[in-house]
Amino acid sequence: MKKFYRDLSPEARASYGITEDGSEESWVYCLTCGRAVPQGDCVVGEDGRLECAYGDCRPTSASHASTDLRAWDTLAQEQGGAAAHWPEKPEWGRRYPLRDADL
């Protein structure tokens, strides 16, 4: 049975959280698949790292799983004008292209 970020205790969330507020409603962006997901839906992997919630997303290695997840609002700011068309709240399943592939 999968364990999700939303199932963690508040103490555990503090160490796993990707977004600044640690909220399960905050969106995170997956650099591997180019989609966003609410942080609460992220899966806690067997190695203890947060992973993308999309079943068809496969990080290049286990060590990249949690580093491939970034806070949506922070990444949008970093992308500047390239993310001007990004909504404040992304759509589930939609891909959002990045300006640079080497973030």
Side-chain angles (χ1 to χ4, degrees):
M1 182 175 196
K2 289 184 180 180
K3 184 175 186 178
F4 297 94
Y5 178 85
R6 67 175 165 266
D7 299 328
L8 298 173
S9 69
E11 295 80 21
R13 285 185 187 185
S15 65
Y16 281 97
I18 295 167
T19 63
E20 190 173 312
D21 67 1
S23 165
E24 64 184 76
E25 291 87 21
S26 296
W27 287 78
V28 298
Y29 180 88
C30 179
L31 296 171
T32 299
C33 71
R35 294 175 284 188
V37 62
Q39 185 167 235
D41 291 345
C42 291
V43 177
V44 179
E46 292 179 16
D47 62 357
R49 298 174 189 253
L50 283 185
E51 300 174 356
C52 181
Y54 293 102
D56 62 344
C57 179
R58 299 288 179 257
T60 54
S61 71
S63 65
H64 287 211
S66 62
T67 58
D68 284 353
L69 297 174
R70 303 280 301 276
W72 173 260
D73 54 351
T74 301
L75 186 61
Q77 287 178 343
E78 291 171 2
Q79 290 289 295
H85 65 283
W86 288 14
E88 186 173 321
K89 181 180 176 186
E91 294 176 40
W92 178 270
R94 181 174 173 192
R95 294 184 191 273
Y96 296 91
L98 294 178
R99 180 185 65 221
D100 297 317
D102 58 346
L103 292 174

